[in-house]
Amino acid sequence: VPGLGAALALLVLLLPAGCPVRAQNDTEPIVLEGKCLVVCDSSPSADGAVTSSLGISVRSGSAKVAFSATRSTNHEPSEMSNRTMTIYFDQVLVNIGNHFDLASSIFVAPRKGIYSFSFHVVKVYNRQTIQVSLMQNGYPVISAFAGDQDVTREAASNGVLLLMEREDKVHLKLERGNLMGGWKYSTFSGFLVFPL
């Protein structure tokens, strides 16, 4: 069973010195001072952890998921984004697990869990309104709005916790207006809070 060796190594480290441990193969129980503890029924969970019948959980590094992207290009919408109104990002600051695709600017959930997302965008000119939506599988979940007539570069921000299934997709959509380009004014970030 993958990861079982790590669980057994942890168990051995937790034993007092001189405590006899015997295991003949992967399917036989471990004997600790004459008491039988079965660990051969360990199974991996959905989040990549291995939980044994001893209650020991060994979480793999693949359970870590986080990204943060910025825009340093010119205004949106661009020629590329006019079709779908997807807000494109051109620089990744963090991409643990590589689940944020920079080319499409879409995050794909690697597993079922609770995810946190936030975004911050800046409008281009005064006398203009912008609206940005966070889209999950093509449907708007939350939006942010900026439309003060007297503010040249007003910002719009929002954040949310989402229950996502494996392969669910999240991106930002420019519903109306134009975003300020350059200087990394606009950001999009997300991370796995905990798997389910």
Side-chain angles (χ1 to χ4, degrees):
V1 176
L4 182 57
L8 292 175
L10 178 63
L11 178 62
V12 170
L13 289 174
L14 297 174
L15 295 173
C19 180
V21 176
R22 181 177 54 85
Q24 295 180 3
N25 59 45
D26 287 342
T27 60
E28 289 193 15
I30 294 176
V31 177
L32 301 174
E33 295 183 334
K35 298 194 177 183
C36 181
L37 301 173
V38 178
V39 295
C40 59
D41 62 344
S42 300
S43 59
S45 62
D47 67 345
V50 174
T51 304
S52 74
S53 58
L54 297 174
I56 297 172
S57 179
V58 179
R59 189 178 303 275
S60 71
S62 65
K64 296 178 181 176
V65 178
F67 78 93
S68 190
T70 64
R71 287 177 35 79
S72 60
T73 57
N74 290 328
H75 308 317
E76 284 283 13
S78 65
E79 183 179 325
M80 184 176 184
S81 65
N82 268 331
R83 294 186 303 270
T84 63
M85 300 308 287
T86 296
I87 298 175
Y88 289 95
F89 294 85
D90 58 6
Q91 184 177 7
V92 171
L93 302 176
V94 172
N95 197 5
I96 307 300
N98 293 315
H99 300 291
F100 180 77
D101 179 62
L102 189 62
S104 67
S105 292
I106 294 174
F107 171 79
V108 180
R111 60 183 49 84
K112 181 178 180 177
I114 301 297
Y115 291 79
S116 175
F117 295 98
S118 63
F119 63 89
H120 179 87
V121 294
V122 178
K123 71 177 189 171
V124 176
Y125 307 114
N126 59 350
R127 303 187 180 282
Q128 183 187 111
T129 297
I130 62 167
Q131 180 180 349
V132 172
S133 295
L134 184 132
M135 311 292 286
Q136 181 179 7
N137 298 327
Y139 295 96
V141 178
I142 58 171
S143 293
F145 175 87
D148 192 323
Q149 297 295 318
D150 298 322
V151 178
T152 302
R153 289 185 176 93
E154 188 181 10
S157 300
N158 209 339
V160 69
L161 290 175
L162 290 180
L163 169 60
M164 296 183 70
E165 299 290 335
R166 187 173 185 272
E167 302 296 325
D168 276 3
K169 296 177 181 176
V170 169
H171 73 279
L172 294 183
K173 180 179 180 183
L174 183 62
E175 302 281 7
R176 75 170 98 158
N178 293 283
L179 300 183
M180 184 69 183
W183 298 104
K184 303 177 184 178
Y185 290 126
S186 297
T187 61
F188 181 31
S189 301
F191 61 92
L192 173 64
V193 179
F194 55 84
L196 295 174

